[in-house]
Structures are given as structure tokens and as C-alpha cells.
Amino acid sequence: MVDITHKTSSHRKAIAKAIVRTSAQSTIDAIVNKAVPKGDVFEMAKAAGLLGIKKTSDLIPDCHPLPIEYAAIRYEIKDLEVHIEVEVHTIYKTGVEVEAMHGASLVALTMYDMLKPIDKALEICSIRLSEKKGGKADYTDTFKKDLKAAVIVCSDSISAGKKEDKAGKAIVSKLESLHLAVNDYIVIPDIHESIQATTLGLIDKKTDLIILTGGTGLSPRDITPEAIRPLLDREIPGIMEAARNYGQDRTPFSMLSRGVAGMKGNTLIIALPGSTRGAQESMDALFPFILHIYRIIEAARHD
């Protein structure tokens, strides 16, 4: 199955539709009057559809098991057709499109099985996805494409050439995958004055996004939060709360990170961990969703 461990959970919704076409009004009348020999068609088909929704991952190999938070099956009769609508919700890392379509399929097939003794020309006309919400695309904000980004690596050993930088390069790679231009990539030692001067210099260059990596731990040389926090006009606690929460689901040590984030003027500054894994996971947790902030800066609507 596709690896979804790097994804974040969100409220996801899907609606699938199917059509069962009968050949005579007498079939429709039998359904409505509950006169079908095999039983109540709508209720039996609904039960089958709910089971189908919940059993999707058991039958379709690439589907992930996921929690079904809500499921509804609705019917509408239009002339000689029964229109089926199946709605499924979850709060998870992947969507429920297949679950909704599988449910619609089982409803339609159950109706077919129950009605075929009284209608030999019965037909399942279509099964299709009609609506999908809540995936990454719905939370990926539109933002101006000319954002200028910078990455600062804070590390005594890397700046001295004793160690190769991987965390900073992972951040650059993530930003470039989002088509953000990384105008500056800078390696500096863990010195309070250097961190502040480098950050302020990038702000003077009208850099929209500054990401620092390193110096957010608990060793005596980890001073990035102390250097960055006084520069901020407004700290945004939720950013690093989200990153730590995401990381804590993957490693029990994420809670020890002291990363900070906030605004200096119109520049967003984020201080991330210096470990490659910590930096990568933080970027996965925050991007591209955090780019919504540039719409807020422009006083645009939140929705």
C-alpha cells in the first residue's frame, strides 16, 4: 500500500452515487409498498451498503483501513430509476472515495439481487464519485508564486566543515517541491549575535519566509529560540504546537524541541529542529498548509 505515514489527518468527505433502473412502474410500486418477496429493499440494501463501506479495506488490496466517523445512504425515485447517494466521513490521513463508491456498489447490487425475480430487465446504470472534500488539495492555499524563502542552518560543526548539512537541504528540497524560490541558503555557527544579524539581514531583503534549522534542543549551545523570540512582533504558538504534535506521533522525543515561529513585519520566521528527521517531519506537518498565512497578511478571507 502507499505510504501515508507522512500525511496529516483531516476531516475528509466523499459522496458516491449509483442508479438502478427498473423496467416497469410495478417494480417501483413493489419497492415503495415493501411488497418485494425478498423483503424491504431499501432497508436491506442500506444494511449491505453500510457493511460494504466498513469492509472496503478487507476487499480492495490497496485501500487502507480507516475509521468511519459517519455514513449515510439516501434514496430518491425518479420515474423508473432509483438514485442512490452514499456519503462517508472520516478524520484520517487518506480519503474515503473508494469507501463511498464501494458502499454505493453494494447498495445497487443488493437491490439488483432482491429485484431480479420480479424484473428481468433490471439494470445498474452507473456508479460514480460525485463529491470529494478534505484532502491536501482542499487545504493547499493559493498564494503569490513569487514568495522569497531563505534557509539558515545553525550549527557549530557544520559551519566549521566537520559535518555535512542534511536538515537544511531537506528543507530546501521541500520548499522547491512547492515551487517556492529559495533565494538564500546560509550556514552559521550557534552564536546569538550571528543568528539575529543573519535573520535581520534577510528581513531587510524583504524575504517572505525564513526557516532556521538547529539550536532548538536543550544543550548549552542550543540558543536559536532565545535569539529569534525577541525579534518577533507576534509569536504564533500554534505553528510549533502542530509540528511537535505531528512529531510526537512518530517519535517520543518531539516534545523536547523548543522550536518557535512568528512574524516580523510581513516575514514569517520558523525555527525547526536540527536533526534531519525532525526537520523533515516538521516540514511535512506545516507545509503547504502554513502558506495560508500569506492570504491572511493580505487581509483576504480565511475560507
Side-chain angles (χ1 to χ4, degrees), residues 39 64 92 106 226 273 289 291:
H64 295 81
Y92 199 59
L106 266 292
E226 286 72 23
F289 321 109
L291 298 174

Side-chain angles (χ1 to χ4, degrees), residues 10-76:
S10 61
H11 181 191
R12 298 167 186 263
K13 166 186 172 182
I15 296 178
K17 294 184 178 181
I19 297 173
V20 174
R21 182 179 296 159
T22 68
S23 65
Q25 182 62 41
S26 59
T27 305
I28 296 294
D29 293 341
I31 296 171
V32 173
N33 296 324
K34 301 181 181 180
V36 175
K38 287 191 175 184
D40 188 327
V41 173
F42 283 160
E43 289 303 314
M44 289 285 285
K46 178 180 178 181
L50 292 174
L51 289 172
I53 291 166
K54 292 186 281 187
K55 291 290 186 178
T56 300
S57 64
D58 291 346
L59 298 172
I60 301 179
D62 283 337
C63 282
H64 295 81
L66 49 74
I68 301 299
E69 311 282 356
Y70 171 78
I73 295 171
R74 296 179 282 268
Y75 303 104
E76 184 179 3

Side-chain angles (χ1 to χ4, degrees), residues 121-135:
L122 200 66
E123 181 183 0
I124 297 174
C125 299
S126 68
I127 298 169
R128 64 183 179 87
L129 182 70
S130 67
E131 185 178 335
K132 168 192 171 184
K133 289 185 178 180

Side-chain angles (χ1 to χ4, degrees), residues 27-271:
T27 305
I28 296 294
D29 293 341
I31 296 171
V32 173
N33 296 324
K34 301 181 181 180
V36 175
K38 287 191 175 184
D40 188 327
V41 173
F42 283 160
E43 289 303 314
M44 289 285 285
K46 178 180 178 181
L50 292 174
L51 289 172
I53 291 166
K54 292 186 281 187
K55 291 290 186 178
T56 300
S57 64
D58 291 346
L59 298 172
I60 301 179
D62 283 337
C63 282
H64 295 81
L66 49 74
I68 301 299
E69 311 282 356
Y70 171 78
I73 295 171
R74 296 179 282 268
Y75 303 104
E76 184 179 3
I77 295 174
K78 295 182 179 180
D79 297 325
L80 298 182
E81 295 179 344
V82 178
H83 288 241
I84 302 158
E85 183 176 85
V86 176
E87 181 174 345
V88 183
H89 294 211
T90 188
I91 298 176
Y92 199 59
K93 304 172 189 176
T94 189
V96 284
E97 303 97 301
V98 177
E99 283 73 11
M101 293 182 71
H102 189 223
S105 301
L106 266 292
V107 172
L109 285 168
T110 301
M111 293 185 69
Y112 184 93
D113 177 64
M114 296 183 73
L115 295 171
K116 66 182 180 180
I118 64 172
D119 192 336
K120 301 302 182 182
L122 200 66
E123 181 183 0
I124 297 174
C125 299
S126 68
I127 298 169
R128 64 183 179 87
L129 182 70
S130 67
E131 185 178 335
K132 168 192 171 184
K133 289 185 178 180
K136 184 173 73 172
D138 290 329
Y139 294 105
T140 300
D141 210 340
T142 54
F143 57 92
K144 56 184 183 179
K145 296 296 183 180
D146 59 344
L147 290 176
K148 295 189 294 183
V151 176
I152 304 173
V153 179
C154 304
S155 170
D156 291 333
S157 57
I158 294 173
S159 64
K162 299 178 181 179
K163 183 180 176 182
E164 179 187 358
D165 169 50
K166 294 182 179 179
K169 291 177 180 176
I171 293 170
V172 170
S173 177
K174 179 71 171 184
L175 294 174
E176 289 178 343
S177 73
L178 297 170
H179 308 292
L180 293 175
V182 180
N183 291 22
D184 295 276
Y185 167 78
I186 304 168
V187 179
I188 59 175
D190 291 303
I191 299 175
H192 189 283
E193 293 76 11
S194 296
I195 296 170
Q196 287 195 336
T198 303
T199 302
L200 290 172
L202 292 169
I203 293 171
D204 289 341
K205 291 172 62 175
K206 306 297 182 183
T207 305
D208 298 289
L209 172 64
I210 301 173
I211 301 180
L212 301 96
T213 176
T216 63
L218 294 164
S219 75
R221 295 289 290 174
D222 287 331
I223 57 168
T224 301
E226 286 72 23
I228 292 300
R229 189 171 278 114
L231 303 182
L232 301 176
D233 297 328
R234 289 182 174 182
E235 188 170 349
I236 310 175
I239 292 177
M240 294 314 300
E241 287 171 5
R244 280 187 284 268
N245 183 65
Y246 180 94
Q248 195 67 23
D249 286 339
R250 291 155 178 82
T251 172
F253 306 129
S254 179
M255 61 184 174
L256 301 178
S257 173
R258 299 186 305 116
V260 297
M263 302 297 299
K264 174 69 172 177
N266 286 342
T267 300
L268 173 61
I269 305 170
I270 309 174

